[in-house]
Amino acid sequence: MNLADLTAEEKLALGGLVRLIVRADGAFSELEEARIDRIGDELGGRDAFWKVISDSAQAFPDEQGIRTATLKVTRPEARELILGVIAGIAAADTISPAEMGLIDAVRAAWGVSA
């Protein structure tokens, strides 16, 4: 599955969650940026991935909007892709408790076990 396989709503939720995972530990490291670039390449294009992230900032100016959009993601394959992406970004450097908390919150919202 890649970006082209996601619905517009799923893409926005993904972009919003990427923004939250990057902000979770209070720093956007070079390792995280490189990981986002690599994941973007794997998903069908880094420019398209950065656009998804940017578009989510326009669609969801606050965290509540992102969380609401996340709850609307229902397809298991989209959930799996999104969780893999945010976990992959968090793992670019040491996974902080705040990053793990966000991942756990998404899993709980979707009823997905670790």
Side-chain angles (χ1 to χ4, degrees):
M1 178 169 235
N2 61 39
L3 283 178
D5 298 320
L6 296 177
T7 67
E9 293 79 15
E10 291 165 344
K11 288 177 187 175
L12 290 174
L14 169 61
L17 287 169
V18 168
R19 290 178 25 243
L20 290 182
I21 204 77
V22 166
R23 292 193 313 229
D25 65 0
F28 183 39
S29 72
E30 289 180 22
L31 291 172
E32 287 173 326
E33 183 176 3
R35 181 68 57 96
I36 290 171
D37 285 343
R38 187 175 60 78
I39 290 170
D41 290 340
E42 292 169 1
L43 292 178
R46 97 177 41 178
D47 291 341
F49 190 40
W50 281 106
K51 183 172 179 353
V52 164
I53 297 165
S54 177
D55 289 349
S56 77
Q58 300 302 311
F60 311 123
D62 60 27
E63 186 173 330
Q64 186 56 48
I66 297 167
R67 292 187 183 274
T68 299
T70 299
L71 292 174
K72 294 178 182 177
V73 176
T74 58
R75 292 189 309 148
E77 59 274 17
R79 288 177 170 183
E80 182 179 339
L81 178 114
I82 291 169
L83 276 170
V85 167
I86 63 172
I89 293 168
D93 49 21
T94 303
I95 299 177
S96 73
E99 290 169 327
M100 196 70 239
L102 175 62
I103 293 166
D104 288 342
V106 172
R107 285 184 178 136
W110 287 342
V112 175
S113 59

